[in-house]
Amino acid sequence: MPSKRKLDLPPAEIYKAAKLASNGSRHAHVEEDDDLEAGPAPPPEDDDGDYGPSAPPEDDDGDDEEGRFFGGGITQTEKEVLDFMDSNQQSTAFDAGPETIDGSWLKKTALSFEKKISRNAELRAKFENDPSKFIDSEADLDSAIKSLSILSDHPSLYPLFAQLGSAASLVSLLAHENTDIAIDAVEILSELTDQDVSASEPDWLSLVNACLEADLLGLLTSNFSRLDETNESDREGVYHALSLLENLSSSPTICDKLGSDKPLVQYLLNRISTPQEKETSQNKQYSAEILAILVSSSLPNRTCLVSLNAVDILLQQIAPYRKRDPDKSSSSYTPEFIRNSFECLSSLVSSPEGKKAFIEAEGVELCLIMLKDGGPKITKPSSLRLLDHACAFSPEMATKIVTEGGLKTLFTMFMKNKTSVGQTTEHLIGIFASMLRFLPAESPERIRTLAKFVEKEYEKLEKTVQLRREYAARLGVVDAAIQEENNTLDTKDREEMEDEFFSRRLDAGLFCLQSIDVVLAWLIAEDDGARDKIKELLADRDEDLGVLRKTIQEQIEGVDEGGEDGRETKEMLSTLVRFLV
């Protein structure tokens, strides 16, 4: 993370102490004497010519500790006075306790902050063409901004900070003519909203909402356009702005606001696709990460990004890695950026608009190229996951995979995959289940898919049944442990532990086992030869179609019928169960 910017401040003024006259008055004092002539007295006639004041008397103790007066120039009384003042100042410095940071302190600080803003604005307007006249006020303003960072240690003061209008004033400085001031304001806002700050949600929201009401997003976006990232301080300013966006996105409601702000989203998309940038910079990676956050759990945000051609832009970012891995020793090797780009795409293709854009931008073809033998290792797992997400609930996507020759690529991976249990297997099974569900009945693409499963003496069916045994064994161990734990709990505790137990079963491979059984059920329903082979393979372990029926029945009971997809899924599963007799 870039170090905090530091603005060089002008040296402090040097203050000189005024001497006190022997009579105690601070004012000049002149005594009148009519017998004296003005001006210095003439030298005596017998003087040998050694003019000037007489030398001070020699005094071994005349020098002070640092030799400031070189043995003279002050009287013994004045020396004692100065020594007393020095000792008194040191004593005061040691006796003063730490300043209390509370509401009263904040009110004083806020008032001082507002005065410095006003003073700087006034001088800038008055001496627009003479920076020397307002540079000191700008340095004072810069110091006042940075002093606000102490609030991050006292987040309980955030509501008062917002109520006093200081939060809005701080945001307004993003429009300051001096980009250094704007960058400092962004950095402080990033510090105050950081997730590491121990602020309660109401306190944090009071500050954030006040900033948003002051047009924080609009000012941030306009600042992006005036910062030149070839300049180090401006580059750090962009980083702090992106950090602020990440902090804001931690709230789901505010995350939706960020994702629906088209100028802001357009900047992020432009930032990750800057053609002049040959190497992937930190800010480019950060922009991709924020995009991934915005679309990870928000359907409106996905719709907004799709409308801005995000699918095509993101595919262009991963396209350079379609045939080979990047050089790991190169500065352009950025696995995090590639991963975030895939994360964005996987979220975007979950919506109907995203699926359509993915097909139109030839995303299926790109993924299949990456999945071929000898393809890049860095993109293969992510492209398979992306294809799995894209294929769900999409007849068009399933058909596209077949027409683009994807069956050979996918089934080759399926048979060559040495790790039976893992994400590669789960995504492949997920794609097969989607294809068998959504490919139109009697279509050439469906017939070709069914033929793949039964070719070469049902070798793929044998692999599928073998996978089922492995996942069932893993799940059986967890189910036995859950049952043993259940025996020690009362009814209330069992209900409280239901979600925890379900999570454990998912980690053991419950979802993949259910997907495998759906694939086997489809093959049983559509091909008599496949039905007989599956029954034969199950019988080797003294099992029958009842084990498949049990798993699918459990799925039916867990389907949420609140939406159309849920109702269609339950209807499909209920139909398959009737074939498992």
Side-chain angles (χ1 to χ4, degrees):
M1 179 176 177
S3 60
K4 293 183 180 179
R5 295 184 62 263
K6 294 186 181 295
L7 188 65
D8 292 333
L9 297 177
E13 295 182 3
I14 301 175
Y15 294 93
K16 298 182 179 179
K19 291 184 180 179
L20 295 176
S22 59
N23 63 0
S25 172
R26 292 178 298 163
H27 304 286
H29 182 77
V30 178
E31 295 183 1
E32 297 182 357
D33 192 335
D34 296 334
D35 296 333
L36 295 178
E37 294 180 3
E45 296 179 358
D46 59 347
D47 199 311
D48 58 2
D50 187 9
Y51 305 125
S54 60
E58 293 184 3
D59 184 0
D60 292 339
D61 297 329
D63 286 356
D64 73 345
E65 191 177 46
E66 298 177 358
R68 290 176 295 175
F69 300 106
F70 302 100
I74 61 173
T75 66
Q76 181 64 28
T77 302
E78 290 170 334
K79 180 178 182 299
E80 291 175 359
V81 170
L82 288 173
D83 288 342
F84 172 77
M85 292 175 64
D86 286 342
S87 63
N88 188 52
Q89 288 175 355
Q90 291 176 5
S91 174
T92 303
F94 283 112
D95 292 343
E99 189 173 14
T100 302
I101 309 299
D102 55 13
S104 297
W105 170 88
L106 180 57
K107 290 178 181 178
K108 295 176 183 177
T109 301
L111 180 60
S112 174
F113 179 52
E114 297 291 345
K115 287 181 177 179
K116 287 180 171 61
I117 294 176
S118 300
R119 178 61 175 165
N120 177 245
E122 177 185 345
L123 291 177
R124 267 190 165 272
K126 188 175 181 179
F127 304 104
E128 182 178 0
N129 298 320
D130 189 359
S132 64
K133 295 295 181 64
F134 58 75
I135 189 64
D136 288 343
S137 70
E138 213 128 290
D140 292 341
L141 177 58
D142 177 81
S143 298
I145 294 171
K146 291 179 178 178
S147 69
L148 295 175
S149 65
I150 197 173
L151 283 174
S152 62
D153 295 328
H154 306 274
S156 60
L157 294 175
Y158 283 4
L160 179 58
F161 186 66
Q163 182 183 348
L164 292 172
S166 298
S169 296
L170 183 59
V171 170
S172 71
L173 292 177
L174 270 65
H176 198 280
E177 293 88 341
N178 185 345
T179 56
D180 286 336
I181 295 293
I183 290 171
D184 283 341
V186 170
E187 184 176 0
I188 292 300
L189 286 169
S190 177
E191 288 184 18
L192 297 181
T193 57
D194 193 277
Q195 297 179 38
D196 291 336
V197 174
S198 57
S200 66
E201 185 174 359
D203 290 345
W204 186 86
L205 285 174
S206 67
L207 172 62
V208 170
N209 287 331
C211 292
L212 292 175
E213 290 173 5
D215 194 27
L216 173 61
L217 299 185
L219 291 171
L220 269 180
T221 305
S222 63
N223 261 286
F224 284 131
S225 62
R226 68 171 178 156
L227 295 178
D228 178 11
E229 290 195 54
T230 59
N231 178 283
E232 183 178 358
S233 62
D234 283 11
R235 186 163 58 250
E236 290 185 5
V238 171
Y239 182 90
H240 291 310
L242 294 174
S243 176
L244 175 57
L245 290 176
E246 183 184 17
N247 297 342
L248 297 178
S249 66
S250 62
S251 165
T253 304
I254 297 175
C255 184
D256 285 347
K257 290 183 180 179
L258 298 181
S260 61
D261 190 303
K262 287 193 173 184
L264 175 61
V265 174
Q266 187 65 67
Y267 166 79
L268 294 173
L269 291 172
N270 292 341
R271 186 63 191 81
I272 67 170
S273 57
T274 305
Q276 298 87 356
E277 195 172 42
K278 295 181 180 179
E279 298 180 356
T280 304
S281 65
Q282 187 178 34
N283 287 342
K284 181 175 180 178
Q285 291 186 50
Y286 211 166
S287 297
E289 181 180 347
I290 293 172
L291 286 171
I293 293 172
L294 294 181
V295 300
S296 61
S297 58
S298 173
L299 181 58
N301 288 357
R302 295 169 193 164
T303 303
C304 178
L305 261 75
V306 171
S307 68
L308 295 174
N309 200 33
V311 172
D312 187 50
I313 292 173
L314 290 162
L315 287 173
Q316 291 179 38
Q317 306 314 303
I318 63 175
Y321 313 103
R322 61 187 179 278
K323 291 186 177 180
R324 60 183 177 83
D325 285 308
D327 182 5
K328 292 186 178 181
S329 62
S330 170
S331 57
S332 62
Y333 179 67
T334 51
E336 183 181 355
F337 176 74
I338 297 172
R339 183 168 56 251
N340 284 324
S341 297
F342 272 107
E343 286 290 336
C344 285
L345 285 166
S346 296
S347 297
L348 293 177
V349 297
S350 63
S351 67
E353 300 87 357
K355 294 179 189 296
K356 181 180 178 181
F358 187 71
I359 293 175
E360 292 175 350
E362 301 182 350
V364 173
E365 293 91 326
L366 180 60
C367 286
L368 292 176
I369 291 173
M370 292 178 174
L371 293 174
K372 287 182 178 179
D373 278 346
K377 295 180 181 179
I378 191 173
T379 59
K380 187 168 290 188
S382 297
S383 56
L384 182 63
R385 177 174 178 266
L386 174 56
L387 211 56
D388 184 13
H389 281 257
C391 201
F393 299 98
S394 177
E396 296 81 9
M397 199 73 67
T399 300
K400 185 71 172 178
I401 291 175
V402 178
T403 57
E404 293 299 329
L407 289 177
K408 180 180 179 181
T409 301
L410 294 174
F411 277 100
T412 298
M413 284 188 68
F414 181 65
M415 296 305 294
K416 288 187 175 183
N417 184 32
K418 296 179 180 179
T419 305
S420 299
V421 176
Q423 291 198 357
T424 298
T425 297
E426 293 173 9
H427 290 310
L428 285 168
I429 293 296
I431 293 171
F432 295 154
S434 294
M435 293 173 71
L436 289 171
R437 175 177 176 180
F438 293 107
L439 284 172
E442 306 301 328
S443 67
E445 292 79 16
R446 187 175 191 84
I447 294 172
R448 288 171 61 185
T449 302
L450 292 171
K452 273 290 182 182
F453 275 103
V454 301
E455 69 180 7
K456 297 182 180 180
E457 299 181 355
Y458 301 102
E459 65 174 6
K460 298 173 183 65
L461 273 181
E462 292 177 357
K463 176 75 179 282
T464 305
V465 172
Q466 177 61 34
L467 285 173
R468 187 194 187 282
R469 290 171 183 163
E470 294 181 17
Y471 275 96
R474 283 164 51 94
L475 187 61
V477 172
V478 173
D479 283 344
I482 291 175
Q483 183 60 46
E484 183 177 349
E485 190 172 344
N486 254 332
N487 293 336
T488 64
L489 301 175
D490 56 29
T491 303
K492 181 180 179 180
D493 290 338
R494 288 175 185 172
E495 292 177 354
E496 292 177 351
M497 289 294 292
E498 280 185 359
D499 291 341
E500 169 64 21
F501 290 153
F502 183 65
S503 177
R504 293 184 199 174
R505 300 187 74 211
L506 285 175
D507 291 341
L510 173 62
F511 181 74
C512 191
L513 177 63
Q514 292 175 340
S515 298
I516 290 172
D517 286 356
V518 168
V519 169
L520 293 174
W522 274 111
L523 296 172
I524 289 170
E526 298 210 26
D527 188 274
D528 291 338
R531 178 188 180 88
D532 294 338
K533 184 64 177 179
I534 292 171
K535 292 176 68 175
E536 177 187 333
L537 293 169
L538 291 173
D540 291 343
R541 297 291 181 92
D542 295 326
E543 296 174 331
D544 57 22
L545 298 182
V547 294
L548 306 183
R549 185 169 59 251
K550 179 181 178 181
T551 304
I552 295 179
Q553 189 62 48
E554 183 181 0
Q555 289 186 67
I556 293 173
E557 294 171 359
V559 170
D560 181 7
E561 297 184 69
E564 183 179 352
D565 289 340
R567 291 190 294 271
E568 291 181 354
T569 298
K570 184 171 184 178
E571 182 180 350
M572 179 269 296
L573 293 173
S574 300
T575 301
L576 289 178
V577 165
R578 292 198 289 268
F579 289 93
L580 302 177
V581 293

